Amino acid sequence: MNSYGKKVSIINTKTNTVTATTKVTGLSSPSKIAFNPTGTKMYVTDCFNNNVYVVNTKTNTVAATMTGFSSPDGIAIIPDGTKVYVANRGTSDIPSNTVYVIDTSTNIREVSNSDSNKLGNSKMKACLNKHKQKNHSKYHKTGGKQY
């Protein structure tokens, strides 16, 4: 990801050389990226504009923009591609060290650890544990592969 140029470079990991660079239409200030398991979608954080973008990798265009984050910086997708976890740096409105869970079928944030006051600690812990247990078992089923 070339943040200031709003471009994505494809790198051959065997030779460590750039094989292609393309501009992605619709990105503002891209920061971190993660790909779904099939490689058809790229999720991009934009920590300056508090957005997460879904990019169609075949057309190199933004398919969806999710707003309302708090300096989103880290991003990861679980192996089956159904959930995206976004870590926020935080702002004065939303504290740092928050993590949002996004359902990839709807591109809607499901829960955040910053929502714990609204949900109540026991409900929040149960929800996060549910995601953690699901992902932990998938981690073992994939032979420890992380994506």
Side-chain angles (χ1 to χ4, degrees), residues 129-145:
N129 283 336
K130 176 183 163 190
H131 287 294
K132 186 177 176 182
Q133 288 170 352
K134 252 181 155 174
N135 298 334
H136 186 69
S137 66
K138 287 177 184 172
Y139 174 80
H140 287 290
K141 287 178 185 173
T142 60
K145 278 186 165 179

Side-chain angles (χ1 to χ4, degrees), residues 60-107:
N60 291 323
T61 57
V62 174
T65 301
M66 293 170 275
T67 61
F69 293 87
S70 178
S71 296
D73 195 31
I75 191 162
I77 299 177
I78 64 172
D80 69 4
T82 60
K83 306 285 182 214
V84 175
Y85 290 82
V86 178
N88 294 283
R89 284 194 223 168
T91 64
S92 58
D93 295 332
I94 301 173
S96 61
N97 302 321
T98 58
V99 176
Y100 285 102
V101 180
I102 299 168
D103 180 329
T104 59
S105 66
T106 61
N107 291 330

Side-chain angles (χ1 to χ4, degrees), residues 4-5 8 10-11 27 45 83 94-95 104 109 119 129 138:
Y4 297 107
V8 174
I10 313 303
I11 299 171
L27 290 183
T45 62
K83 306 285 182 214
I94 301 173
T104 59
R109 291 187 313 206
L119 294 175
N129 283 336
K138 287 177 184 172

